[in-house]
Amino acid sequence: MNPKQKLESILNNEYESEDGDLYKVELLDGMTNEEIAKYKKQLPNNFLSAEIEELLKFSRGFEFFGLEEVRFDSFGHFGFEEMFPNSIQLAGDGFGNFWILDIDSNGNWNSVYYVCHDPAVIVKHSENLSEFIEQVHESGKKGRESTLDIIHEQTVMEIWNEKVGIMEKNEKDYDFENEQIQLPEMFLIADLTNEPIKTGFPWGKSGPNTKIIRPTDKPIWIVEKKVKQGFLSRLFGGKK
């Protein structure tokens, strides 16, 4: 199903909150042709696919218990451009963590990522927007057994504690030297190309101000690795 069809398919469902209250998806208004034309001008390559335009005319988002508003029109709201140069901030959990849809330089809407700040982890959450909408629906039906809740509560900690994950030393033959980027002295590679959902990497292991680079449209990140120095090393300017 395309995103509009997937959203339509869950509208008649009734969900029950942890407190026993019943609720349904509440749609936000759709966008007018004028609003969509203005929106396109903000997007990379001024491109908006026919299926996303169809979705936005139907609804610009929806309300769902347990999430901040799910929005399809929030381009450029997230920030963190070194990680996601172009993105849609789909939703937040109310605690400073967000579900982000990645957009490439041609304007194509790609995978959805869960960006967590505590622990500082990124997880591939959904292959596309339709799957994300299905995962929201599943969360309302299955609660803690749903993919969304498992990633939110368990997967992030597993990745942070390095029980799962994809961080590699920079030994693979990545052709970053041809890019106009300044590589850190030491770094790890997080390559999510062709990886399944629930795969991710810790972006904050080296502490605040860690340098992170996204060299291309591909889901590959360069993450600076900082080595802690002992007292004598700091005193004499050497490295441990």
Side-chain angles (χ1 to χ4, degrees), residues 15 41 46-47 71 77 88 97 102 119-120 150 205 220 236 239:
Y15 308 92
K41 292 180 181 179
N46 302 133
F47 175 75
R71 300 293 298 245
H77 289 200
I88 302 292
N97 308 305
D102 188 40
I150 290 170
K205 282 282 189 178
I220 300 173
F236 295 106
K239 291 186 177 181

Side-chain angles (χ1 to χ4, degrees), residues 49-223:
S49 71
E51 69 173 24
I52 298 299
E53 185 169 337
E54 179 187 34
L55 171 68
L56 292 172
K57 287 180 178 179
F58 177 65
S59 173
R60 68 185 70 210
F62 61 93
E63 295 182 2
F64 197 86
F65 181 82
L67 294 176
E68 296 177 342
E69 280 185 342
V70 178
R71 300 293 298 245
F72 311 129
D73 61 345
S74 55
F75 175 75
H77 289 200
F78 182 57
F80 213 167
E81 287 86 0
E82 62 267 41
M83 191 74 73
F84 297 101
N86 299 294
S87 68
I88 302 292
Q89 183 175 299
L90 287 174
D93 65 356
F95 297 97
N97 308 305
F98 298 94
W99 288 267
I100 301 300
L101 187 144
D102 188 40
I103 302 179
D104 66 27
S105 57
N106 292 318
N108 299 303
W109 291 34
N110 297 315
S111 298
V112 175
Y113 298 87
Y114 179 57
V115 184
C116 185
H117 80 281
D118 186 16
V121 163
I122 285 181
V123 188
K124 184 178 181 182
H125 198 281
S126 323
E127 294 291 349
N128 50 52
L129 181 56
S130 293
E131 184 176 55
F132 176 74
I133 295 171
E134 173 62 28
Q135 289 166 341
V136 172
H137 160 70
E138 181 195 48
S139 176
K141 289 296 185 181
K142 295 185 177 181
R144 295 186 179 183
E145 296 179 0
S146 67
T147 298
L148 188 147
D149 284 55
I150 290 170
I151 290 175
H152 187 272
E153 300 296 332
Q154 300 177 27
T155 306
V156 291
M157 293 308 303
E158 290 172 349
I159 291 172
W160 179 257
N161 293 325
E162 300 179 342
K163 292 182 180 178
V164 297
I166 52 144
M167 295 289 280
E168 301 174 349
K169 295 180 180 178
N170 46 302
E171 296 170 350
K172 212 168 178 179
D173 188 21
Y174 291 101
D175 192 18
F176 294 140
E177 298 299 329
N178 292 335
E179 305 295 332
Q180 299 300 311
I181 57 175
Q182 185 68 41
L183 291 173
E185 182 178 350
M186 297 180 65
F187 59 91
L188 296 173
I189 303 298
D191 186 350
L192 286 169
T193 306
N194 300 321
E195 294 289 342
I197 64 170
K198 297 184 181 178
T199 308
F201 64 96
W203 57 268
K205 282 282 189 178
S206 289
N209 303 316
T210 298
K211 188 172 185 178
I212 301 172
I213 301 169
R214 178 89 176 268
T216 68
D217 279 338
K218 293 180 180 179
I220 300 173
W221 290 265
I222 299 168
V223 182

Side-chain angles (χ1 to χ4, degrees), residues 5 19 25 29 36 48 99 105 124 175 177 212 228:
Q5 292 169 334
D19 297 326
V25 170
D29 291 339
I36 287 176
L48 190 64
W99 288 267
S105 57
K124 184 178 181 182
D175 192 18
E177 298 299 329
I212 301 172
K228 292 183 179 179

Side-chain angles (χ1 to χ4, degrees), residues 28-44:
L28 304 178
D29 291 339
M31 297 174 71
T32 65
N33 288 334
E34 183 179 354
E35 288 174 324
I36 287 176
K38 186 177 180 180
Y39 188 51
K40 281 184 180 179
K41 292 180 181 179
Q42 303 174 40
L43 299 173

